[in-house]
Amino acid sequence: MKEGEIRRLLAANLLCFFAIVLTAVLPAFFWKGFTVLGTHLTWLCICSVCVSALNIILHLVFRPNLTPKRSSFAQKISRFLKCCMYFFMSCILFHAIIVLYGAPLIESVTETFLFAVLLSTFTTLQCLCILGPNIQAWVRVFNKNGATSIWESSLQITTMCSILGAWFGAFPIPLDWDRPWQVWPISCSLGATFGYMAGLIIAPLWIHWNRKQLTYKSR
């Protein structure tokens, strides 16, 4: 395993990490009264857009899934449209799952959907960037020992950390502490965000420490 590839992964992950930090700090200089808690829905939109744009740019720069096979313009357009459709379907699916886990069905629909968009940004968008609209590749990567590169290993870690963070973030909501951050879906979205940020740091460190044991077989 090349150290240079791990450094590239670390650089990409650190850029995503600091981009999220900037979404919480930078808008306050231009938007009076902006806070992550006070204007949470606005922050959800800003964070989702910024992380999505940065992930796409990093994918184009680092090209973690670059193959010698070239695609025609029509194939690239078809792939792009499929990715858009998969991302939208992911938002709908996450919205439905969140409702099944206890989120309000009719009330707070906007809040729930924006939280679903954030989760899709942290999980599905990365899958689309690294694996493309290939469900079989998604299933392979999330099986045990299914990763074939350090980028796919990082994808496994950040995805699981994001989902676990969102799940743990739901624990304080029913408690009668009457804190501002207990309003739906603040604690869940913050939990998902902190989980994703933790995964961004954990992934390259874990891969570096276990690089001698990791063997990637091409499929």
Side-chain angles (χ1 to χ4, degrees):
M1 185 182 300
K2 296 181 179 179
E3 286 291 332
E5 193 74 7
I6 299 178
R7 285 195 292 269
R8 289 170 64 197
L9 174 65
L10 177 61
N13 286 7
L14 286 177
L15 284 173
C16 290
F17 183 95
F18 288 114
I20 295 175
V21 175
L22 287 177
T23 63
V25 176
L26 199 59
F29 292 97
F30 307 98
W31 188 322
K32 186 177 180 180
F34 175 88
T35 61
V36 172
L37 298 184
T39 53
H40 190 67
L41 296 186
T42 303
W43 175 78
L44 282 178
C45 296
I46 294 173
C47 185
S48 298
V49 170
C50 291
V51 172
S52 298
L54 183 58
N55 270 300
I56 293 171
I57 292 171
L58 290 174
H59 166 69
L60 295 175
V61 172
F62 290 113
R63 296 182 179 273
N65 61 341
L66 183 63
T67 59
K69 182 180 178 181
R70 293 188 176 183
S71 302
S72 66
F73 180 74
Q75 289 174 324
K76 290 179 180 179
I77 293 296
S78 175
R79 180 186 176 93
F80 173 76
L81 293 176
K82 280 185 179 180
C83 288
C84 293
M85 182 183 68
Y86 280 25
F87 183 79
F88 179 73
M89 290 172 59
S90 170
C91 296
I92 299 297
L93 180 61
F94 270 124
H95 185 104
I97 292 173
I98 294 166
V99 169
L100 291 175
Y101 268 89
L105 177 60
I106 299 176
E107 298 177 357
S108 305
V109 173
T110 303
E111 289 85 346
T112 303
F113 184 74
L114 288 178
F115 173 45
V117 171
L118 185 75
L119 271 180
S120 295
T121 301
F122 291 157
T123 58
T124 306
L125 182 69
Q126 289 194 105
C127 292
L128 291 171
C129 287
I130 296 175
L131 306 174
N134 185 345
I135 299 299
Q136 292 180 344
W138 296 18
V139 173
R140 169 184 59 78
V141 167
F142 290 100
N143 280 333
K144 185 178 180 181
N145 300 323
T148 60
S149 68
I150 65 171
W151 299 92
E152 293 181 359
S153 293
S154 177
L155 177 62
Q156 291 175 335
I157 294 171
T158 54
T159 298
M160 294 306 299
C161 286
S162 300
I163 294 175
L164 286 175
W167 184 62
F168 282 116
F171 288 174
I173 292 179
L175 303 177
D176 57 349
W177 294 345
D178 294 327
R179 296 291 189 271
W181 50 266
Q182 287 180 277
V183 177
W184 173 255
I186 294 178
S187 63
C188 287
S189 57
L190 290 180
T193 303
F194 288 138
Y196 177 66
M197 294 172 72
L200 291 173
I201 302 301
I202 293 170
L205 295 178
W206 183 86
I207 292 170
H208 176 74
W209 288 332
N210 295 275
R211 64 189 184 280
K212 294 181 179 179
Q213 288 77 29
L214 292 174
T215 55
Y216 295 119
K217 297 180 181 179
S218 59
R219 286 174 171 81

Tab-separated table of all heavy atoms in Angstrom, residues 145-181:
chain	number	residue	atom	x	y	z
A	145	ASN	N	-14.887	-7.450	4.369
A	145	ASN	CA	-13.699	-7.565	3.508
A	145	ASN	C	-14.027	-7.296	2.043
A	145	ASN	O	-13.409	-7.869	1.146
A	145	ASN	CB	-13.062	-8.951	3.657
A	145	ASN	CG	-12.612	-9.249	5.067
A	145	ASN	OD1	-12.135	-8.369	5.777
A	145	ASN	ND2	-12.776	-10.496	5.495
A	146	GLY	N	-14.995	-6.403	1.802
A	146	GLY	CA	-15.388	-6.126	0.425
A	146	GLY	C	-14.658	-4.968	-0.216
A	146	GLY	O	-14.737	-4.779	-1.427
A	147	ALA	N	-13.943	-4.172	0.582
A	147	ALA	CA	-13.242	-3.001	0.042
A	147	ALA	C	-12.048	-3.428	-0.793
A	147	ALA	O	-11.325	-4.365	-0.444
A	147	ALA	CB	-12.791	-2.089	1.170
A	148	THR	N	-11.846	-2.741	-1.924
A	148	THR	CA	-10.710	-3.045	-2.794
A	148	THR	C	-9.710	-1.892	-2.866
A	148	THR	O	-8.783	-1.941	-3.660
A	148	THR	CB	-11.206	-3.363	-4.220
A	148	THR	OG1	-11.908	-2.222	-4.738
A	148	THR	CG2	-12.136	-4.566	-4.214
A	149	SER	N	-9.908	-0.837	-2.073
A	149	SER	CA	-8.983	0.290	-2.051
A	149	SER	C	-9.136	1.021	-0.726
A	149	SER	O	-10.110	0.807	0.015
A	149	SER	CB	-9.262	1.252	-3.210
A	149	SER	OG	-10.508	1.909	-3.027
A	150	ILE	N	-8.197	1.906	-0.439
A	150	ILE	CA	-8.294	2.668	0.807
A	150	ILE	C	-9.470	3.643	0.761
A	150	ILE	O	-10.044	3.980	1.788
A	150	ILE	CB	-6.984	3.427	1.108
A	150	ILE	CG1	-6.711	4.503	0.050
A	150	ILE	CG2	-5.824	2.464	1.226
A	150	ILE	CD1	-5.563	5.402	0.422
A	151	TRP	N	-9.852	4.070	-0.441
A	151	TRP	CA	-10.998	4.967	-0.578
A	151	TRP	C	-12.286	4.251	-0.195
A	151	TRP	O	-13.172	4.837	0.427
A	151	TRP	CB	-11.081	5.512	-2.002
A	151	TRP	CG	-9.884	6.299	-2.396
A	151	TRP	CD1	-8.759	5.836	-3.034
A	151	TRP	CD2	-9.644	7.695	-2.153
A	151	TRP	NE1	-7.853	6.853	-3.203
A	151	TRP	CE2	-8.374	8.008	-2.686
A	151	TRP	CE3	-10.393	8.711	-1.558
A	151	TRP	CZ2	-7.830	9.282	-2.624
A	151	TRP	CZ3	-9.853	9.995	-1.503
A	151	TRP	CH2	-8.592	10.268	-2.032
A	152	GLU	N	-12.387	2.990	-0.554
A	152	GLU	CA	-13.570	2.217	-0.197
A	152	GLU	C	-13.584	1.892	1.294
A	152	GLU	O	-14.649	1.877	1.922
A	152	GLU	CB	-13.639	0.947	-1.040
A	152	GLU	CG	-13.883	1.220	-2.516
A	152	GLU	CD	-13.973	-0.052	-3.349
A	152	GLU	OE1	-13.822	-1.151	-2.783
A	152	GLU	OE2	-14.180	0.059	-4.576
A	153	SER	N	-12.407	1.666	1.873
A	153	SER	CA	-12.340	1.460	3.322
A	153	SER	C	-12.761	2.726	4.057
A	153	SER	O	-13.491	2.668	5.051
A	153	SER	CB	-10.916	1.071	3.736
A	153	SER	OG	-10.573	-0.205	3.236
A	154	SER	N	-12.314	3.873	3.574
A	154	SER	CA	-12.717	5.144	4.170
A	154	SER	C	-14.218	5.350	4.022
A	154	SER	O	-14.883	5.847	4.940
A	154	SER	CB	-11.962	6.291	3.503
A	154	SER	OG	-12.382	7.541	4.017
A	155	LEU	N	-14.772	4.951	2.877
A	155	LEU	CA	-16.210	5.052	2.653
A	155	LEU	C	-16.978	4.228	3.673
A	155	LEU	O	-17.995	4.677	4.220
A	155	LEU	CB	-16.531	4.585	1.230
A	155	LEU	CG	-18.004	4.539	0.824
A	155	LEU	CD1	-18.618	5.919	0.872
A	155	LEU	CD2	-18.151	3.929	-0.567
A	156	GLN	N	-16.504	3.027	3.945
A	156	GLN	CA	-17.145	2.179	4.957
A	156	GLN	C	-17.176	2.874	6.319
A	156	GLN	O	-18.213	2.927	6.984
A	156	GLN	CB	-16.388	0.843	5.087
A	156	GLN	CG	-16.502	-0.080	3.898
A	156	GLN	CD	-15.633	-1.319	4.067
A	156	GLN	OE1	-14.629	-1.306	4.800
A	156	GLN	NE2	-16.005	-2.392	3.401
A	157	ILE	N	-16.035	3.411	6.718
A	157	ILE	CA	-15.901	3.989	8.056
A	157	ILE	C	-16.749	5.250	8.201
A	157	ILE	O	-17.489	5.414	9.172
A	157	ILE	CB	-14.422	4.282	8.367
A	157	ILE	CG1	-13.637	2.969	8.450
A	157	ILE	CG2	-14.289	5.060	9.677
A	157	ILE	CD1	-12.136	3.145	8.537
A	158	THR	N	-16.648	6.172	7.234
A	158	THR	CA	-17.396	7.431	7.352
A	158	THR	C	-18.901	7.205	7.272
A	158	THR	O	-19.663	7.888	7.960
A	158	THR	CB	-16.968	8.420	6.252
A	158	THR	OG1	-17.095	7.801	4.967
A	158	THR	CG2	-15.536	8.870	6.472
A	159	THR	N	-19.331	6.265	6.450
A	159	THR	CA	-20.768	5.978	6.343
A	159	THR	C	-21.314	5.434	7.654
A	159	THR	O	-22.358	5.888	8.148
A	159	THR	CB	-21.030	4.979	5.201
A	159	THR	OG1	-20.620	5.556	3.966
A	159	THR	CG2	-22.511	4.628	5.124
A	160	MET	N	-20.619	4.458	8.224
A	160	MET	CA	-21.089	3.872	9.472
A	160	MET	C	-21.039	4.890	10.613
A	160	MET	O	-21.954	4.946	11.443
A	160	MET	CB	-20.236	2.646	9.831
A	160	MET	CG	-20.390	1.476	8.858
A	160	MET	SD	-22.125	0.984	8.632
A	160	MET	CE	-22.576	0.518	10.294
A	161	CYS	N	-19.999	5.707	10.657
A	161	CYS	CA	-19.904	6.730	11.708
A	161	CYS	C	-21.036	7.751	11.592
A	161	CYS	O	-21.594	8.190	12.609
A	161	CYS	CB	-18.552	7.434	11.632
A	161	CYS	SG	-17.157	6.453	12.218
A	162	SER	N	-21.400	8.122	10.373
A	162	SER	CA	-22.485	9.084	10.172
A	162	SER	C	-23.814	8.529	10.658
A	162	SER	O	-24.578	9.208	11.362
A	162	SER	CB	-22.594	9.453	8.689
A	162	SER	OG	-21.408	10.026	8.213
A	163	ILE	N	-24.110	7.288	10.294
A	163	ILE	CA	-25.387	6.674	10.686
A	163	ILE	C	-25.437	6.440	12.185
A	163	ILE	O	-26.461	6.707	12.837
A	163	ILE	CB	-25.594	5.366	9.907
A	163	ILE	CG1	-25.767	5.681	8.409
A	163	ILE	CG2	-26.806	4.601	10.434
A	163	ILE	CD1	-25.849	4.462	7.522
A	164	LEU	N	-24.338	5.959	12.746
A	164	LEU	CA	-24.302	5.753	14.199
A	164	LEU	C	-24.420	7.073	14.947
A	164	LEU	O	-25.102	7.158	15.973
A	164	LEU	CB	-23.009	5.042	14.593
A	164	LEU	CG	-22.919	3.555	14.255
A	164	LEU	CD1	-21.529	3.017	14.588
A	164	LEU	CD2	-23.980	2.748	14.997
A	165	GLY	N	-23.774	8.125	14.429
A	165	GLY	CA	-23.880	9.436	15.059
A	165	GLY	C	-25.304	9.955	15.061
A	165	GLY	O	-25.777	10.502	16.061
A	166	ALA	N	-26.017	9.766	13.939
A	166	ALA	CA	-27.423	10.186	13.866
A	166	ALA	C	-28.274	9.396	14.848
A	166	ALA	O	-29.180	9.944	15.497
A	166	ALA	CB	-27.941	10.004	12.444
A	167	TRP	N	-27.986	8.116	14.982
A	167	TRP	CA	-28.757	7.246	15.889
A	167	TRP	C	-28.531	7.648	17.346
A	167	TRP	O	-29.475	7.804	18.111
A	167	TRP	CB	-28.357	5.795	15.650
A	167	TRP	CG	-29.147	4.806	16.446
A	167	TRP	CD1	-30.499	4.582	16.384
A	167	TRP	CD2	-28.643	3.898	17.432
A	167	TRP	NE1	-30.861	3.594	17.265
A	167	TRP	CE2	-29.742	3.150	17.923
A	167	TRP	CE3	-27.367	3.644	17.944
A	167	TRP	CZ2	-29.600	2.173	18.895
A	167	TRP	CZ3	-27.234	2.666	18.905
A	167	TRP	CH2	-28.338	1.948	19.377
A	168	PHE	N	-27.270	7.846	17.713
A	168	PHE	CA	-26.975	8.271	19.083
A	168	PHE	C	-27.517	9.671	19.365
A	168	PHE	O	-27.892	9.987	20.497
A	168	PHE	CB	-25.471	8.230	19.352
A	168	PHE	CG	-24.923	6.856	19.600
A	168	PHE	CD1	-23.994	6.302	18.729
A	168	PHE	CD2	-25.342	6.113	20.689
A	168	PHE	CE1	-23.497	5.029	18.952
A	168	PHE	CE2	-24.847	4.833	20.922
A	168	PHE	CZ	-23.919	4.282	20.044
A	169	GLY	N	-27.566	10.508	18.336
A	169	GLY	CA	-28.085	11.855	18.520
A	169	GLY	C	-29.553	11.899	18.874
A	169	GLY	O	-30.044	12.920	19.382
A	170	ALA	N	-30.276	10.809	18.588
A	170	ALA	CA	-31.714	10.777	18.897
A	170	ALA	C	-31.989	10.495	20.370
A	170	ALA	O	-33.108	10.748	20.845
A	170	ALA	CB	-32.412	9.720	18.035
A	171	PHE	N	-31.014	9.991	21.097
A	171	PHE	CA	-31.242	9.617	22.494
A	171	PHE	C	-31.702	10.769	23.382
A	171	PHE	O	-32.591	10.600	24.215
A	171	PHE	CB	-29.989	8.962	23.086
A	171	PHE	CG	-29.713	7.579	22.562
A	171	PHE	CD1	-28.550	6.911	22.906
A	171	PHE	CD2	-30.613	6.939	21.729
A	171	PHE	CE1	-28.293	5.631	22.437
A	171	PHE	CE2	-30.360	5.660	21.246
A	171	PHE	CZ	-29.198	5.004	21.596
A	172	PRO	N	-31.123	11.989	23.270
A	172	PRO	CA	-31.532	13.058	24.201
A	172	PRO	C	-32.898	13.677	23.888
A	172	PRO	O	-33.436	14.397	24.735
A	172	PRO	CB	-30.428	14.123	24.023
A	172	PRO	CG	-29.338	13.466	23.267
A	172	PRO	CD	-29.984	12.414	22.447
A	173	ILE	N	-33.459	13.427	22.705
A	173	ILE	CA	-34.687	14.124	22.302
A	173	ILE	C	-35.845	13.901	23.265
A	173	ILE	O	-36.524	14.860	23.656
A	173	ILE	CB	-35.082	13.731	20.862
A	173	ILE	CG1	-34.057	14.292	19.874
A	173	ILE	CG2	-36.474	14.256	20.517
A	173	ILE	CD1	-34.342	13.948	18.431
A	174	PRO	N	-36.136	12.670	23.710
A	174	PRO	CA	-37.298	12.483	24.595
A	174	PRO	C	-37.075	12.922	26.048
A	174	PRO	O	-38.035	12.963	26.828
A	174	PRO	CB	-37.551	10.972	24.523
A	174	PRO	CG	-36.245	10.374	24.145
A	174	PRO	CD	-35.537	11.385	23.315
A	175	LEU	N	-35.846	13.272	26.408
A	175	LEU	CA	-35.576	13.675	27.788
A	175	LEU	C	-36.134	15.072	28.051
A	175	LEU	O	-36.090	15.941	27.185
A	175	LEU	CB	-34.064	13.642	28.061
A	175	LEU	CG	-33.369	12.296	27.818
A	175	LEU	CD1	-31.873	12.419	28.049
A	175	LEU	CD2	-33.962	11.206	28.710
A	176	ASP	N	-36.647	15.300	29.256
A	176	ASP	CA	-37.297	16.583	29.575
A	176	ASP	C	-36.292	17.599	30.122
A	176	ASP	O	-36.493	18.180	31.174
A	176	ASP	CB	-38.442	16.362	30.571
A	176	ASP	CG	-37.984	15.681	31.855
A	176	ASP	OD1	-36.830	15.203	31.873
A	176	ASP	OD2	-38.757	15.636	32.819
A	177	TRP	N	-35.236	17.838	29.348
A	177	TRP	CA	-34.232	18.811	29.777
A	177	TRP	C	-34.571	20.222	29.288
A	177	TRP	O	-34.019	21.197	29.795
A	177	TRP	CB	-32.850	18.423	29.229
A	177	TRP	CG	-32.314	17.156	29.798
A	177	TRP	CD1	-32.763	16.502	30.912
A	177	TRP	CD2	-31.231	16.382	29.280
A	177	TRP	NE1	-32.027	15.363	31.126
A	177	TRP	CE2	-31.068	15.257	30.132
A	177	TRP	CE3	-30.376	16.504	28.196
A	177	TRP	CZ2	-30.103	14.291	29.930
A	177	TRP	CZ3	-29.413	15.549	27.983
A	177	TRP	CH2	-29.278	14.462	28.853
A	178	ASP	N	-35.451	20.300	28.283
A	178	ASP	CA	-35.863	21.597	27.705
A	178	ASP	C	-34.668	22.413	27.223
A	178	ASP	O	-34.560	23.609	27.471
A	178	ASP	CB	-36.668	22.415	28.729
A	178	ASP	CG	-37.991	21.761	29.061
A	178	ASP	OD1	-38.564	21.121	28.160
A	178	ASP	OD2	-38.439	21.889	30.212
A	179	ARG	N	-33.775	21.740	26.516
A	179	ARG	CA	-32.626	22.429	25.931
A	179	ARG	C	-32.934	22.790	24.470
A	179	ARG	O	-33.647	22.052	23.779
A	179	ARG	CB	-31.381	21.538	25.979
A	179	ARG	CG	-30.917	21.219	27.406
A	179	ARG	CD	-30.370	22.464	28.092
A	179	ARG	NE	-29.729	22.149	29.356
A	179	ARG	CZ	-30.333	22.105	30.529
A	179	ARG	NH1	-31.638	22.371	30.588
A	179	ARG	NH2	-29.686	21.821	31.633
A	180	PRO	N	-32.402	23.908	23.963
A	180	PRO	CA	-32.675	24.307	22.571
A	180	PRO	C	-32.247	23.256	21.553
A	180	PRO	O	-32.890	23.093	20.511
A	180	PRO	CB	-31.864	25.598	22.407
A	180	PRO	CG	-31.665	26.118	23.786
A	180	PRO	CD	-31.589	24.909	24.678
A	181	TRP	N	-31.157	22.533	21.828
A	181	TRP	CA	-30.658	21.568	20.861
A	181	TRP	C	-31.435	20.257	20.863
A	181	TRP	O	-31.141	19.355	20.064
A	181	TRP	CB	-29.177	21.287	21.112
A	181	TRP	CG	-28.830	20.956	22.532
A	181	TRP	CD1	-28.413	21.828	23.487
A	181	TRP	CD2	-28.878	19.669	23.160
A	181	TRP	NE1	-28.188	21.174	24.670
A	181	TRP	CE2	-28.479	19.846	24.503
A	181	TRP	CE3	-29.226	18.399	22.731
A	181	TRP	CZ2	-28.408	18.789	25.402
A	181	TRP	CZ3	-29.169	17.335	23.628
A	181	TRP	CH2	-28.758	17.546	24.941
